[in-house]
């Protein structure tokens, strides 16, 4: 049979319609489309795709199960390595991981591995009841997990399956971490995240929300009640540029803007209590996924014109290509090779314009990307009413400050052993963004899984 050269297209909402609503952009494969796409996989004896996957999912095996129409088994195959397939199938940067390595991709478009992962995960989620595995007898050991993002959820899911009692402490009133407060509904529907959390709860994990470790309870309190602790508190502290005018009304961190919109459902105000104020012209500073999410959220809220302001060129934009493409299709404007130097306000203290400078690219810097250099005398201003800073985020110092015996590096991230994810304090493990700095869902989930394995071994040796 001749090989189909192109990846099977995923049905999507049309740009002119989707930019007016918060529903998911990509609609997912039908069974027919999934079978066509699965048929493109060569079932390579030495599959390179697996090498590209941070958690080494047996990709040809799960695609083979799709070919046999065994969709639940295919999802179970993925779950052997990744507990969050419906989420990762949607937001993993597959184009830089498994798909970039796909052997079919040498001559044609690679297999749509992420789209197939999403298909089988959604298939299982759509069934009335999820298969709950038989759990081993209780060990009597108690585990505390701090944070309910992908790192914490994965660690919790793995440890409950070993027979331990697991309690997750979450600062917010809702679980899911960035999956619920950061990534917007139109990329990752919250009911998909909730179903994955419900599954972990059905396994027996207890979730205690609105518990800020370092304030409501200290690590020392947890040490008394639990045999081991996992720190999965993420990197949620927003960075600002340090330029004049960042304290004006109308300047948000992307974190605040997205939290209002996603977690607090401000896009449904006044049906939900939290408002979100934005002007006719919105500038988003930054070029990563967070910037694209903020810009596309502002557009959907009703902003007239939305600009991405980024200091390098389009080639260096760190966001996923798919998200940049979607943003362009929806009419987001890109002010590239441009860097703000000041935000200027009106007499009432509200943002009225950005003063910026044009940039050119020099030699690559330590990040491997070409260094942006300001072009002298090229300053210019443009009118905006809202500015959203999406230039990155770092470690929130609360836990480190209240548990100073746990070692951190100079950026405040916990230092762990590479093999076990254990910190310098025996029995305290850490993983996800709070160790690596802002990274990806699958890397956080992978760290949670690695830590869970080592925590289980630690618990079994403990007495
Ligand atoms: P988080 O998801 O940050 O979860 C940490 C949790 O800990 C939070 O719920 C927080 O409330 C809680 N917490 C913090 N401090 C405390 C405390 N003291 N006590 C109790 N709880 C606490 N990655 C991708 O792979 N693909 C994408 O498309 C993508 N898009 C993104 C878009 C946005 C807007 C953002 C912000 C990130 C995006 N990422 C993406 C990155 C990805 O979401 C993160 O790398 C990942 O969520 C990190 O997981 P984590 O479990 O380490 O932390
Ligand atoms: Fe299939 Fe590509 Fe993996 Fe080969 S490398 S097994 S074609 S997904």
């Amino acid at each position: 049979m001749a090989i189909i050269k192109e990846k099977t297209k995923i049905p999507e909402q049309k740009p002119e319609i989707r930019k007016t609503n918060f529903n998911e952009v990509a609609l997912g494969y039908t069974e027919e489309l999934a079978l066509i796409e699965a048929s493109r996989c060569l079932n390579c004896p030495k599959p390179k795709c697996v090498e590209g996957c941070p958690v080494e999912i047996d990709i040809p095996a799960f695609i083979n199960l799709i070919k046999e129409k065994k969709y639940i088994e295919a999802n179970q195959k993925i779950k052997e390595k990744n507990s969050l397939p419906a989420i990762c199938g949607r937001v993993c940067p597959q184009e830089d991981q498994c798909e970039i390595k796909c052997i079919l991709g040498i001559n044609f478009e690679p297999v749509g591995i992420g789209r197939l992962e999403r298909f089988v995960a959604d298939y299982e989620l759509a069934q009335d009841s999820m298969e709950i595995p038989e759990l081993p007898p209780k060990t009597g050991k108690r585990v505390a997990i701090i944070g309910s993002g992908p790192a914490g959820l994965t660690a919790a899911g793995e440890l409950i399956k070993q027979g331990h009692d697991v309690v997750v402490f979450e600062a917010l009133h809702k679980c899911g971490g960035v999956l619920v407060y950061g990534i917007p509904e139109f990329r990752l529907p919250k009911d998909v995240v909730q179903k994955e959390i419900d599954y972990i709860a059905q396994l027996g994990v207890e979730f205690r929300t609105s518990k800020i470790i370092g304030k409501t309870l200290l690590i020392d309190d947890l040490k008394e009640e639990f045999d081991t602790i996992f720190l999965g508190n993420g990197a949620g502290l927003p960075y600002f540029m340090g330029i004049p005018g960042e304290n004006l009304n109308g300047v948000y961190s992307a974190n605040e803007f997205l939290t209002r919109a996603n977690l607090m459902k401000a896009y449904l105000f006044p049906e939900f209590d939290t408002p979100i104020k934005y002007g006719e012209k919105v500038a988003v500073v930054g070029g990563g996924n967070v910037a694209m999410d903020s810009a596309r959220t502002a557009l959907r809220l009703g902003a007239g014109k939305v600009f991405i302001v980024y200091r390098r060129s389009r080639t260096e934009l760190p966001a996923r290509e798919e998200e940049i493409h979607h943003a362009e299709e929806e009419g987001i404007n890109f002010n590239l090779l441009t860097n703000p130097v000041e935000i200027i306000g009106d007499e009432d203290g509200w943002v009225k314009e950005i003063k910026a400078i044009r940039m050119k690219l020099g030699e690559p810097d330590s990040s491997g990307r070409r260094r942006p250099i300001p072009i002298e005398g090229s300053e210019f201003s443009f009118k905006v009413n809202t500015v959203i800073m999406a230039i990155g985020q770092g470690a929130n110092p609360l836990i480190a400050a209240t548990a100073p015996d746990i070692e951190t590096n100079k950026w405040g991230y916990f230092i762990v052993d590479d093999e076990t994810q254990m910190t310098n304090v025996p029995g305290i493990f850490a993983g996800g963004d709070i160790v690596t700095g802002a990274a990806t869902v699958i890397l956080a989930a992978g760290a949670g899984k690695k830590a869970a394995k080592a925590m289980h071994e630690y618990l079994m040796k403990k007495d």
Side-chain angles (χ1 to χ4, degrees):
M1 199 173 70
I3 294 173
I4 304 167
K5 294 180 184 172
E6 286 176 4
K7 207 188 265 190
T8 311
K9 290 212 168 19
I10 193 162
E12 286 178 350
Q13 282 197 71
K14 289 199 174 12
E16 60 278 12
I17 296 178
R18 69 181 190 236
K19 69 183 191 186
T20 63
N21 67 55
F22 275 81
N23 301 335
E24 193 171 13
V25 169
L27 304 174
Y29 279 158
T30 58
E31 180 177 4
E32 189 191 356
L33 294 175
L35 287 170
I36 296 172
E37 189 55 20
S39 74
R40 297 180 66 233
C41 174
L42 306 170
N43 197 11
C44 308
K46 287 191 183 156
K48 292 277 177 202
C49 53
V50 181
E51 287 173 22
C53 172
V55 294
E56 296 177 351
I57 292 171
D58 191 343
I59 293 167
F62 100 76
I63 296 182
N64 259 341
L65 287 163
I66 297 181
K67 290 180 190 169
E68 294 168 23
K69 299 192 179 181
K70 293 181 179 163
Y71 308 125
I72 296 203
E73 289 86 341
N75 198 36
Q76 294 302 326
K77 179 55 71 185
I78 299 172
K79 280 191 169 172
E80 285 173 11
K81 296 290 171 88
N82 172 16
S83 330
L84 308 170
I87 294 164
C88 292
R90 287 173 164 82
V91 303
C92 258
Q94 295 101 5
E95 63 282 5
D96 296 325
Q97 297 178 344
C98 50
E99 293 183 14
I100 202 170
K101 299 259 180 170
C102 170
I103 291 169
L104 185 69
I106 298 171
N107 292 318
F108 307 119
E109 283 190 0
V111 175
I113 300 167
R115 293 171 182 184
L116 290 173
E117 179 181 24
R118 171 185 166 162
F119 169 75
V120 291
D122 284 359
Y123 185 92
E124 184 166 10
L125 285 180
Q127 307 305 305
D128 277 345
S129 62
M130 300 265 278
E131 206 169 298
I132 303 289
E134 204 175 312
L135 299 182
K138 285 283 176 201
T139 60
K141 307 284 182 195
R142 290 180 59 73
V143 181
I145 307 271
I146 320 296
S148 63
L153 289 177
T154 305
E158 293 297 314
L159 285 159
I160 196 90
K161 284 192 235 159
Q162 299 289 354
H164 309 302
D165 287 323
V166 183
V167 180
V168 175
F169 293 88
E170 168 54 52
L172 297 171
H173 63 280
K174 228 174 163 32
C175 291
V178 169
L179 307 176
V180 292
Y181 80 74
I183 304 180
E185 179 79 19
F186 57 81
R187 266 202 317 124
L188 179 60
K190 301 310 150 217
D191 63 340
V192 170
V193 181
Q194 193 53 48
K195 280 184 182 161
E196 303 265 27
I197 295 170
D198 290 347
Y199 171 75
I200 295 169
Q202 276 178 45
L203 293 176
V205 171
E206 182 189 337
F207 289 95
R208 295 188 196 165
T209 51
S210 306
K211 298 283 178 293
I212 307 176
I213 304 308
K215 254 194 184 340
T216 332
L217 286 164
L218 298 179
I219 293 288
D220 278 347
D221 301 323
L222 298 181
K223 277 184 189 163
E224 283 173 24
E225 197 193 329
F226 295 93
D227 299 291
T228 178
I229 298 172
F230 175 75
L231 305 169
N233 50 309
L237 187 75
Y239 289 152
F240 285 87
M241 292 184 74
I243 57 174
E246 278 180 306
N247 55 353
L248 286 166
N249 295 320
V251 180
Y252 290 90
S253 68
N255 229 318
E256 182 190 342
F257 190 77
L258 290 172
T259 303
R260 278 176 182 265
N262 297 325
L263 183 72
M264 308 309 290
K265 300 270 182 281
Y267 65 91
L268 297 174
F269 180 82
E271 197 184 316
F272 281 72
D273 288 339
T274 303
I276 194 162
K277 199 167 163 54
Y278 56 89
E280 175 62 14
K281 287 188 180 165
V282 176
V284 179
V285 183
N289 286 324
V290 183
M292 298 304 143
D293 284 345
S294 304
R296 296 173 69 202
T297 297
L299 189 74
R300 281 161 173 75
L301 284 167
K305 214 160 192 177
V306 183
F307 303 90
I308 289 279
V309 182
Y310 180 59
R311 60 192 183 145
R312 292 182 164 99
S313 76
R314 193 188 186 290
T315 320
E316 290 81 23
L317 279 168
R320 291 185 68 189
E321 179 54 39
E322 184 178 297
E323 303 312 327
I324 300 168
H325 173 66
H326 279 153
E328 286 171 337
E329 278 186 337
E330 289 165 13
I332 303 290
N333 302 278
F334 285 74
N335 277 359
L336 300 170
L337 291 165
T338 302
N339 205 24
V341 288
E342 185 179 351
I343 304 167
I344 297 165
D346 63 17
E347 56 282 5
D348 297 321
W350 285 91
V351 171
K352 70 167 188 182
E353 60 187 46
I354 288 185
K355 187 171 167 199
I357 188 161
R358 300 269 183 225
M359 311 292 279
K360 62 182 179 187
L361 294 180
E363 293 301 308
D365 61 16
S366 57
S367 73
R369 290 171 304 164
R370 292 180 64 192
R371 195 162 61 88
I373 304 168
I375 301 173
E376 230 177 277
S378 67
E379 285 89 349
F380 68 105
S381 297
F382 57 97
K383 299 236 175 291
V384 291
N385 320 94
T386 305
V387 179
I388 302 169
M389 288 293 173
I391 56 165
Q393 56 275 340
N396 186 315
L398 183 61
I399 293 183
T402 50
D405 49 335
I406 311 173
E407 262 175 30
T408 55
N409 64 19
K410 63 179 174 179
W411 299 284
Y413 298 119
F414 293 118
I415 299 172
V416 297
D417 177 275
D418 267 358
E419 291 298 310
T420 62
Q421 303 282 134
M422 190 154 85
T423 65
N424 62 308
V425 179
I428 300 192
F429 297 74
D433 282 5
I434 192 57
V435 168
T436 55
T440 62
V441 173
I442 191 70
L443 287 174
K449 186 160 178 128
K450 205 201 299 178
K453 182 169 177 285
M455 289 167 83
H456 172 62
E457 283 162 13
Y458 171 86
L459 287 170
M460 292 296 91
K461 279 192 210 141
K462 205 173 169 213
D463 334 287

